[in-house]
């Protein structure tokens, strides 16, 4: 091995070369890594562009071709811009230039898209504030509901960018379709017209919202209102067992509460920082920049950034001129809307849904809407609730109706229990309010509720099944509020001829009545509960509690047998057991107890008839409901000229027929004084005495006619009641011998009689209420009659 100075130099050169090679390798490696990063970023950008393109073109193209709409009949404001509008567009362009310079990373503003005529319009002038003549549209929820129902949503061609055009609300209403921007402009126009401070804001939302997919949302009709928790009122009770003392450390609880409050404050602060684009205080110049101002002191634009920017090389004079120009632009008043007045005809407002029907899918629910009169049964809305998310297994159906003559408002059907509940508006026959049932067959389980103000008996609720019937009352003069009737189950009866028949009757086992307190009577004379044990021939009376007593007075009556009643009418002590609260002695004499027993026996017969009337009324209601559902009729408002045209023609034809039948009839035949003037010889001028006599004769005759009419109704009412009593007696005597068909016929006849009695009772009550009013109205009319006014003015 040879060494020397030359060898050392060679080694040093080789070491330097090795270091240079290593540095080159490191540089090449870094370059490769940078290229790889650039390639990955390019790939990422390419993927992003591809994903955006896929999003933009993934939505289906709308079936409707907006390019084919006819714009020839639109006003000139749609096809051209006024000088003020042109100036506004220049201001908008200048504002947009400043915005893009100050915020280059943000997307362009949506300021002046083209309208349906291809003319650029400033976006705010597309809003046309309008108050439509429908009370439902005076409120925000009514406006939102109408826009949602009336228009069909079209998705944006690209959901990441605003549309290139923005059509007028009138065109959108005409074709009943539009995108989310069209929806917003129309709704904003209606809300501002109704007095709301409304704005249109564009931004981003989830895919479900943009595509109107509410299948993951709960139906609004199923959302329950939040209940306000009521504070528990602790009642002091000295006998209450004391609770164990709280062994938790108050200091530790305070520290935990303090720590929790600090955490919530931090989260709130972070949330506020994240939502800082979400500040909608338009007077806040930090977050909002004003474009146009109609005030004398407009907010200044953020010009400081422009002044300090080195890219703009301008002198001070040019900047001052531009500032003056900007201030002039800011104080420029925006021109009025170029859109024609928004108009919605009554027919369009009534039809609402496109094609008259709309379906919305919610989470495990489906909502269907129809226009009024679209369905022959008056159905306007149906909500179907499902057990699964695929909308296959229905568990409940709710239906809403309008304009039904039977006053049906809503029907609920539980598919699992087969329970149907119907709700009615006031005005139904018999005052029916709610009807819940599983079958329309008689003597099956059902519940009926009534409008008590329309009923004579004050019946509020009736619940029955095969073995019992419960009735609830309100506002009765006898203070009765509850009645419970128990029936014996059906069984076969054998006639004298030995032929077995299946009787459909329900023999009464017992009737229980409950009464409120009558303060006009002493407590121990005021009956609280009365029980008639029909088969046991027993009557039980329970009186109200007296003050400071824990037991109530009672009387138990044992009715004598038929053989005993024929032999003697004497009351024995064994026939009544009496308990007088607060006294061990029996103060009531036997004669008084006997009279009370006779009275109770008579009331028991009347009570049986009342139970029969209730059963007959239920049968009549079921019959009427079956007839109403078999032949559904819809009513029309008197203001609905289109649907009332047919009725108007029928009325005119009827009046023309009457005129043809009585051609000589004229308005003089309707003169209420004509018959009495004829009796007086029709004097041209009357004295005061004649005028007074004429008035008295007219009023007396009218009074007699009112009384006569009331007497006729009263006589018919009494006759029907007498017929009902006869039929009831006939049934009581022969109920064990009646066949099923004979009993059904008797029940139907009984039901018809009850129906007539109910109508006559209503007519009689109405006649008694309106007769004084009619009399006073005629008296006032006679006083103002020109033929009598000069004599009766000071009478």
């Amino acid at each position: 091995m040879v060494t020397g100075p030359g060898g050392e130099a060679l080694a040093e050169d080789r070491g330097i070369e090795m270091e240079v090679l290593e540095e080159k390798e490191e540089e090449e490696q870094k370059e490769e890594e940078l290229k790889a990063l650039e390639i990955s970023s390019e790939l990422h950008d390419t993927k992003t562009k591809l994903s955006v393109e896929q999003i933009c073109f993934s939505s289906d193209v709308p079936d409707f071709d907006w390019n084919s709409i006819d714009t020839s009949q639109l006003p000139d404001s749609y096809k051209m811009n006024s000088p003020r509008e042109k100036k506004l567009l220049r201001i908008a362009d200048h504002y947009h230039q400043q915005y893009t310079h100050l915020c280059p990373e943000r997307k362009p503003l949506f300021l002046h898209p083209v309208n349906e005529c291809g003319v650029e319009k400033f976006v705010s002038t597309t809003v046309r504030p309008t108050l439509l003549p429908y009370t439902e549209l005076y409120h925000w929820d009514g406006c939102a509901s109408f826009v949602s129902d009336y228009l069909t949503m079209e998705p944006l061609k690209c959901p990441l960018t605003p549309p290139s055009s923005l059509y007028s609300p009138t065109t959108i209403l005409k074709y009943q379709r539009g995108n989310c921007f069209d929806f917003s402009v129309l709704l904003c126009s209606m809300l501002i017209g109704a007095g709301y401070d409304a704005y249109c804001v564009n931004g981003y939302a989830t895919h479900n919202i943009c595509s109107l997919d509410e299948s993951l949302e709960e139906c609004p009709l199923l959302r329950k209102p939040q209940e306000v928790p009521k504070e528990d009122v602790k009642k002091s009770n000295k006998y209450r067992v004391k609770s164990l003392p709280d062994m938790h450390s108050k200091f530790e609880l305070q520290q935990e509460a303090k720590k929790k409050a600090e955490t919530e404050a931090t989260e709130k602060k972070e949330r506020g920082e994240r939502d800082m684009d979400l500040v909608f205080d338009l007077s806040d110049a930090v977050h909002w920049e004003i474009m146009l101002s109609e005030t004398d002191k407009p907010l200044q634009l953020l010009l400081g950034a422009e002044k300090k920017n080195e890219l703009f090389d301008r002198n001070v004079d040019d900047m001052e001129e531009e500032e003056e120009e900007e201030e002039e632009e800011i104080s420029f008043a925006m021109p009025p809307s170029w859109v024609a007045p928004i108009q919605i005809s009554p027919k369009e407002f009534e039809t609402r849904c496109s094609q008259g029907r709309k379906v919305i899918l919610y989470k495990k629910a489906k909502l269907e809407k129809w226009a009024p009169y679209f369905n022959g049964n008056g159905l306007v809305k149906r909500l179907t609730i499902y057990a699964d998310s695929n909308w296959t297994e229905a568990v409940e159906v709710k239906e809403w109706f309008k304009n039904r003559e039977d006053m049906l408002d809503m029907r609920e059907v539980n598919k699992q229990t087969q329970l149907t509940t119907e709700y009615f508006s006031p005005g139904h026959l018999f005052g029916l309010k709610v009807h819940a049932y599983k079958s329309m067959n008689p003597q099956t389980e059902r519940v009926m509720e009534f409008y008590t103000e329309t009923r004579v008996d004050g019946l509020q609720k009736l619940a029955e099944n095969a073995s019992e019937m419960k009735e609830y009352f309100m506002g009765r003069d006898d203070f009765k509020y509850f009645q419970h009737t128990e029936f014996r189950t059906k069984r076969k009866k054998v006639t004298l001829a030995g032929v077995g028949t299946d009787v459909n009757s329900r023999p009464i086992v017992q009737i229980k009545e409950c009464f409120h307190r009558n303060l006009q009577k002493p407590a121990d004379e005021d009956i609280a509960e009365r029980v008639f044990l029909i088969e046991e021939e027993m009557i039980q009376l329970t009186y109200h509690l007296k003050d400071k007593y824990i037991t109530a007075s009672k009387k138990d009556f044992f009715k004598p047998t038929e053989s005993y009643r024929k032999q003697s009418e004497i009351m024995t002590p064994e026939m009544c057991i009496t308990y007088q609260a607060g006294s061990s002695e029996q103060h009531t004499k036997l004669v008084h107890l006997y009279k009370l027993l006779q009275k109770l026996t008579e009331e028991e017969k009347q009570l049986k008839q009342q139970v029969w009337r209730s059963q007959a009324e239920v049968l009549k209601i079921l019959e009427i409901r079956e007839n109403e559902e078999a032949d559904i009729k819809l009513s029309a408002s008197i203001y609905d000229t289109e649907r009332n045209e047919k009725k108007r023609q029928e009325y005119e034809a009827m009046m023309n027929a009457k005129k043809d039948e009585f051609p000589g009839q004229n308005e003089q035949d309707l003169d209420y004084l004509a018959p009495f003037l004829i009796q007086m010889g029709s004097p041209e001028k009357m004295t005061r005495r004649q005028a007074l006599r004429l008035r008295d004769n007219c009023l007396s005759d009218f009074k007699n006619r009112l009384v006569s009419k009331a007497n006729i109704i009263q006589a018919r009412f009494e006759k029907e009641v007498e017929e009902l009593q006869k039929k009831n007696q006939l049934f009581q005597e022969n109920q064990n011998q009646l066949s099923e068909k004979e009993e059904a016929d008797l029940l139907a006849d009984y039901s018809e009689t009850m129906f007539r009695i109910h109508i006559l009772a209503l007519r009689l009550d109405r006649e008694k209420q309106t007769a004084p009013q009619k009399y006073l109205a005629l008296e006032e009319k006679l006083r103002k009659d020109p033929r009598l006014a000069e004599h009766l003015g000071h009478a």
Side-chain angles (χ1 to χ4, degrees), residues 556-561 564-565 567-578 586 588-595 597-598:
D556 293 344
F557 290 92
F558 300 90
K559 292 188 289 185
T561 59
Y564 182 85
R565 283 196 294 268
Q567 296 175 1
S568 174
E569 294 184 356
I570 301 175
M571 182 77 177
T572 61
E574 292 79 10
M575 296 171 61
C576 179
I577 300 176
T578 303
Q586 184 174 350
T588 309
K589 296 182 179 179
L590 289 178
V591 62
H592 295 156
L593 292 175
Y594 180 71
K595 290 182 179 180
L597 178 59
Q598 286 184 320

Side-chain angles (χ1 to χ4, degrees), residues 445-512:
E445 185 176 357
R446 73 185 65 257
V447 176
M448 292 181 178
E449 295 182 18
F450 303 88
Y451 291 97
T452 55
E453 57 272 12
T454 64
R455 295 188 59 93
V456 180
D457 57 357
L459 181 62
Q460 181 187 20
K461 181 179 176 181
L462 184 147
E464 75 159 353
N465 53 37
S467 60
E468 64 178 355
M469 180 171 64
K470 298 178 180 179
E471 297 172 274
Y472 303 82
F473 302 91
M474 179 181 291
R476 287 177 61 109
D477 295 336
D478 58 359
F479 296 91
K480 182 166 73 172
Y481 67 90
F482 177 70
Q483 178 174 311
H484 181 205
T485 306
E486 294 184 11
F487 303 95
R488 182 157 38 88
T489 55
K490 296 179 290 185
R491 63 184 183 184
K492 289 187 177 181
K493 298 290 183 180
V494 180
T495 61
L496 295 176
V499 181
T501 57
D502 187 7
V503 180
N504 195 31
S505 62
R506 294 193 296 175
I508 300 175
V509 176
Q510 75 169 32
I511 303 174
K512 181 175 74 173

Side-chain angles (χ1 to χ4, degrees), residues 146 191 366 401 563 675:
F146 174 79
L191 291 175
K366 180 174 70 174
F401 302 87
S563 59

Side-chain angles (χ1 to χ4, degrees), residues 122-179:
F122 186 63
V123 63
S124 298
T125 59
T126 309
V127 177
R128 178 61 189 256
T130 305
L131 178 62
L132 294 166
Y134 306 104
T135 55
E136 182 181 345
L137 302 183
Y138 292 173
H139 306 279
W140 68 267
D141 51 349
C143 295
S145 177
F146 174 79
V147 173
S148 175
D149 293 341
Y150 194 76
L151 301 183
T152 300
M153 172 65 81
E154 291 184 347
L156 295 171
K157 292 183 179 179
C158 181
L160 302 181
T161 58
S164 59
S165 60
L166 184 65
Y167 291 177
S168 65
T170 54
T171 300
I172 297 302
L173 284 171
K174 179 179 179 180
Y175 296 99
Q176 289 189 250
R177 58 197 309 119
N179 55 43

Side-chain angles (χ1 to χ4, degrees), residues 55 67 135 155 198 472 516 569 608:
I55 292 174
N67 296 324
T135 55
Y472 303 82
H516 287 300
E569 294 184 356
K608 284 182 177 180

